[in-house]
Amino acid sequence: LVAGIRSSYAPEDLIGRRAIIVKNLEPATIRGEESQGMILAVSDEEGISILAPDRSVALGSRVK
């Protein structure tokens, strides 16, 4: 998975976070790396914000 979130998140800030991921997309090459998914996020004048569940849910739960 390749995501354009570097301007808003350091790698260490993502450890242990939950996020909504769309996987198994058709592979795309982004900045020389293959990506098969995406992190759902929103952006505004303050930057990027990763979308996450508002309560604890099992890892791998389906987005509906």
Side-chain angles (χ1 to χ4, degrees):
L1 189 135
V2 177
I5 59 173
R6 175 183 270 175
S7 64
S8 296
Y9 294 92
E12 57 272 11
D13 294 336
L14 299 173
I15 296 171
R17 282 191 67 142
R18 292 187 180 225
I20 300 171
I21 306 293
V22 178
K23 66 175 190 161
N24 294 337
L25 298 178
E26 186 167 326
T29 301
I30 302 171
R31 293 186 292 281
E33 298 290 332
E34 184 179 284
S35 182
Q36 295 182 23
M38 70 173 108
I39 298 174
L40 294 184
V42 296
S43 64
D44 62 13
E45 61 278 346
E46 294 184 38
I48 295 168
S49 179
I50 293 173
L51 298 177
D54 63 357
R55 63 176 177 81
S56 183
V57 295
L59 294 177
S61 294
R62 293 189 180 267
V63 174
K64 295 183 177 188

